[in-house]
Amino acid sequence: MNDLLQKDASSIWHPFTPLVGGTKPIFIKSATGVYLHTDDGRSIIDAVSSWWVNLHGHSHPDIVKALEEQIKSLDHVIFAGFTHEPAITLSENLLKILPSNQSRIFFSDNGSTAVEVALKMALQFWTNQGINRKRIVAIEGAYHGDTFGAMSVGSRGIFTDPFMDHLFDVSFIDFPVGHNEDVVVEQFSALVCTDNVAAFIFEPLVQGAAGMRMYSPAVLDRLLRVAKAHNVICIADEVFSGFGRTGKLFASDYLHHLPDIISLSKGITGGTMPLGVTSCSDEIVNAFRSEDISKTFFHGHSYTANPLACAVANASFNLLVGRECHEQIELISTLHRAFKRRIEQHPRLRDVRCLGTILALELDVAGESSYTHPVRKRIYDFFLDRNVLLRPLGNVIYVLPPYVIKTAELEKVYGYVEEFLNER
């Protein structure tokens, strides 16, 4: 193992990791259920679902079987001019559970590209009709990915500073935190009444990377009502919030007004293979129905709709819509709410938030909450020393387990959280 780690150190550049002063990676030999197994015999609870992707536990037998069966018949084929059963089935499966106005599925590779597709669809929707609408509105604090379009509609800061001169202009409205909701709606109304706004993109109800910041379905509905009154395309970035994370299959299910375009990834394959999807309504599709080839949506990826990824996504879908998964989501949601009530008055906490399977505890630290707050390393090391993977967002500890976690395992995580808070 030491030899492999030395090779890692000399040849691999890890994501979101400083090349100097960063933590050394832990070698993982295997994973089952909620546990990551190290070469030296440790079993670490994956309490963040390996960057929010794992729904049903690692190495789930149904997903493993789907992958094994698919690779025997078709590994990959170009998706321009060809098609295959796993992609067709997945499209039908997704449209069964997505909001009722969604009618078409476009495949890509990951969350950032699913957002890029959504932005390009929205902008070309207008240019195909000869209408000059180019401005995009987003919410302050947003994170939509690391490609250039996704960075442009995300919050400006440490992730984007080196690229500022290359990002396109976006209008940001304030994050709605309750007391300022009327002001935020007024900000938005002033922007869209100018008739040059092409799209409004948002993370529905929860801004994940910003620290699991949560806002109400009611104010988002108000914003969508204003947007639709001015024919602004509404894009829901459900890359994180989709597939049950908020307690419902999609965060958009809490809303009365439906998005026109939805970006999906992360949990779509149950955490096994990369896959991105962008769905849209018939209204969006109709702007591309033309014999004029210049109105074609010229976007694609080499591995678009990879059959292996689609096959495991279908297996994950079957697990997701089953009764057992629904009961587990409800169990985690109930346990999170109970722990929130138990812990929210702790003097070291500034705020405790939960929605569905998402629990976030914001430590009361000097200054504002920040992704780069130095307490993040102490949090990470504390839990990892106790065989729990919690990768904090600065001074925000969040718990987002695979749906298969047992009550005793989740209570163990809660217990370590209390131990950390009580530590002097």
Side-chain angles (χ1 to χ4, degrees), residues 16-193:
F16 293 91
T17 304
L19 292 178
V20 177
T23 57
K24 294 182 179 179
I26 295 172
F27 188 88
I28 298 300
K29 185 178 181 179
S30 64
T32 53
V34 298
Y35 292 100
L36 307 172
H37 305 297
T38 67
D39 198 57
D40 57 358
R42 296 171 63 189
S43 292
I44 301 170
I45 295 177
D46 185 357
V48 296
S49 299
S50 284
W51 249 341
W52 320 346
V53 301
N54 193 286
L55 301 187
H56 312 295
H58 295 276
S59 303
H60 193 287
D62 290 10
I63 294 178
V64 171
K65 181 180 178 182
L67 181 58
E68 289 176 339
E69 291 182 351
Q70 182 57 45
I71 202 166
K72 293 175 184 175
S73 60
L74 178 62
D75 53 355
H76 186 63
V77 63
I78 182 175
F79 207 59
F82 294 85
T83 192
H84 49 79
E85 185 275 332
I88 295 168
T89 298
L90 180 57
S91 298
E92 290 182 329
N93 283 338
L94 291 173
L95 292 173
K96 288 175 188 175
I97 62 173
L98 280 164
S100 59
N101 67 332
Q102 300 297 288
S103 68
R104 209 50 93 103
I105 299 295
F106 193 97
F107 289 94
S108 61
D109 293 353
N110 55 59
S112 293
T113 57
V115 168
E116 294 282 338
V117 168
L119 294 172
K120 290 175 69 174
M121 270 185 187
L123 292 171
Q124 191 174 341
F125 171 87
W126 296 111
T127 59
N128 276 5
Q129 300 174 78
I131 300 172
N132 186 29
R133 287 201 180 202
K134 296 180 180 179
R135 182 156 293 278
I136 296 174
V137 178
I139 300 176
E140 178 273 323
Y143 174 82
H144 294 289
D146 296 324
T147 49
F148 271 86
M151 283 194 296
S152 294
V153 294
S155 180
R156 305 302 198 259
I158 192 170
F159 294 159
T160 60
D161 282 344
F163 318 107
M164 287 291 290
D165 292 344
H166 304 281
L167 305 182
F168 57 75
D169 289 335
V170 171
S171 297
F172 289 94
I173 57 174
D174 291 339
F175 182 79
V177 291
H179 62 82
N180 70 339
E181 289 182 354
D182 290 342
V183 172
V184 173
V185 174
E186 289 173 7
Q187 284 179 338
F188 187 66
S189 299
L191 286 169
V192 300
C193 73

Side-chain angles (χ1 to χ4, degrees), residues 141-321:
Y143 174 82
H144 294 289
D146 296 324
T147 49
F148 271 86
M151 283 194 296
S152 294
V153 294
S155 180
R156 305 302 198 259
I158 192 170
F159 294 159
T160 60
D161 282 344
F163 318 107
M164 287 291 290
D165 292 344
H166 304 281
L167 305 182
F168 57 75
D169 289 335
V170 171
S171 297
F172 289 94
I173 57 174
D174 291 339
F175 182 79
V177 291
H179 62 82
N180 70 339
E181 289 182 354
D182 290 342
V183 172
V184 173
V185 174
E186 289 173 7
Q187 284 179 338
F188 187 66
S189 299
L191 286 169
V192 300
C193 73
T194 60
D195 290 332
N196 70 339
V197 174
F200 169 44
I201 184 168
F202 53 92
E203 297 162 271
L205 309 189
V206 186
Q207 286 190 333
M212 301 296 170
R213 298 202 298 178
M214 300 179 184
Y215 63 111
S216 74
V219 71
L220 182 53
D221 256 328
R222 290 175 66 188
L223 294 171
L224 295 183
R225 183 169 65 247
V226 172
K228 290 180 179 296
H230 292 85
N231 297 316
V232 172
I233 295 171
C234 298
I235 303 171
D237 176 357
E238 295 241 24
V239 168
F240 163 52
S241 57
F243 303 105
R245 286 301 184 192
T246 65
K248 296 192 177 187
L249 286 175
F250 300 99
S252 297
D253 292 338
Y254 287 91
L255 305 173
H256 295 294
H257 297 283
L258 303 181
D260 304 292
I261 301 175
I262 300 176
S263 300
L264 300 168
S265 188
K266 288 201 181 289
I268 191 170
T269 66
T272 55
M273 299 190 73
L275 182 65
V277 155
T278 306
S279 67
C280 64
S281 67
D282 264 339
E283 182 182 6
I284 302 299
V285 175
N286 287 339
F288 295 83
R289 296 184 191 277
S290 174
E291 294 182 1
D292 181 352
I293 194 169
S294 69
K295 295 184 178 181
T296 301
F297 188 54
F298 287 111
H299 188 104
H301 300 264
S302 301
Y303 283 91
T304 291
N306 172 258
L308 305 179
C310 291
V312 295
N314 285 320
S316 179
F317 171 87
N318 291 333
L319 292 168
L320 178 70
V321 298

